[in-house]
Amino acid sequence: MARSLHAKIGPSILNADLAQLHDESQKLLDNGADYLHLDVMDGHFVPNLSFGHPIVKCLRSKIKNAFFETHMMVSNPKQWIEPMADAGVDQYTFHVEPVEDVPLVCRKVREAGMKVGVALKPGTPVDVVADYADLADMILVMTVEPGFGGQKFMEPMLKKVEWLRQTYPGLDIEVDGGVGPATIEACAKAGANMIVSGTAVINSADQAKVIATLRDTVNCYLGHDRST
């Protein structure tokens, strides 16, 4: 099953010049990004604020066809499902930690016409997803504490990725936080196929080269036996 998966590179625009959000986002797509990872923070679930559905809707009006994933670092993910669907989001990725009824939120996201992503903070055990992995299109393993870009990569989190890949071989598995050319091989070897990279791509003088490196590394490992 894993052989049907493909590498997907989704730069985070958190560290981009948000005053030039459309231009920065289009540049990433022109340089080979498969999707855009849009970090939505409420200042409560994480100690930072970013932007909400009005900005996403404006961006969608400029970029019609790209795949938008919103990473909802918010205390009440259910509240923002309909606004984000209306804004043109393709995948709604929310954190399990503040949610009492994860399956309900998964169903609401799908009913709104979006794909379902489920995210885990570093301190959250990976096996919590066993009850609702069949409701999700993707599991996101955070490799930093959510809330700020530019943090140091937490390699022990890749044990979660390994467990997910072994347990759900056909599932999209995303990593986010400190991922770049120096850490991509470890992520790919563990089994991640969706790669969020912020600073390493945004700050590069050659974004296309970095994106290609990330994609080629992941595709090299997809379908290989990770037990050797």
Side-chain angles (χ1 to χ4, degrees):
M1 285 186 286
R3 285 179 171 80
S4 65
L5 295 172
H6 298 283
K8 302 171 189 174
I9 312 303
S12 166
I13 55 88
L14 184 62
N15 292 105
D17 181 355
L18 296 182
Q20 304 290 332
L21 183 58
H22 166 236
D23 291 340
E24 295 267 324
S25 298
Q26 188 61 57
K27 179 182 175 184
L28 291 166
L29 294 165
D30 292 344
N31 281 324
D34 297 293
Y35 64 105
L36 295 177
H37 183 89
L38 308 176
D39 291 300
V40 177
M41 307 178 189
D42 65 357
H44 186 252
F45 179 68
V46 294
N48 200 3
L49 282 168
S50 58
F51 50 81
H53 57 92
I55 297 296
V56 177
K57 190 168 188 175
C58 288
L59 185 61
R60 175 57 85 194
S61 73
K62 300 285 188 180
I63 299 177
K64 304 293 187 182
N65 298 318
F67 191 94
F68 284 7
E69 177 197 13
T70 49
H71 179 190
M72 304 300 297
M73 290 171 270
V74 299
S75 293
N76 185 8
K78 186 179 174 184
Q79 177 182 358
W80 307 109
I81 294 172
E82 290 296 337
M84 284 299 181
D86 178 68
V89 169
D90 298 289
Q91 178 166 296
Y92 190 93
T93 299
F94 67 95
H95 276 266
V96 302
E97 292 84 10
V99 177
E100 291 186 8
D101 191 341
V102 172
L104 174 63
V105 177
C106 289
R107 288 194 294 271
K108 292 292 186 182
V109 171
R110 197 170 302 284
E111 288 169 3
M114 297 179 289
K115 286 190 171 185
V116 179
V118 173
L120 306 177
K121 291 174 69 176
T124 303
V126 67
D127 56 2
V128 302
V129 304
D131 292 335
Y132 39 78
D134 59 333
L135 300 175
D137 296 290
M138 185 211 77
I139 305 294
L140 164 56
V141 174
M142 290 299 299
T143 45
V144 298
E145 289 292 340
F148 294 91
Q151 295 183 61
K152 181 175 172 56
F153 180 74
M154 300 169 68
E155 189 159 357
M157 294 303 106
L158 296 182
K159 292 292 185 184
K160 296 182 183 181
V161 177
E162 291 175 0
W163 184 87
L164 287 167
R165 180 56 68 216
Q166 291 165 6
T167 309
Y168 309 105
L171 187 67
D172 280 325
I173 301 171
E174 185 176 67
V175 288
D176 178 10
V179 181
T183 52
I184 186 59
E185 185 169 9
C187 297
K189 189 174 183 180
N193 70 298
M194 292 184 69
I195 307 299
V196 178
S197 183
T199 306
V201 173
I202 297 293
N203 293 345
S204 173
D206 192 344
Q207 291 184 354
K209 183 178 179 180
V210 175
I211 291 171
T213 296
L214 300 177
R215 180 184 293 107
D216 291 348
T217 303
V218 173
N219 279 331
C220 182
Y221 279 94
L222 279 176
H224 288 200
D225 182 0
R226 295 172 187 86
S227 64
T228 57

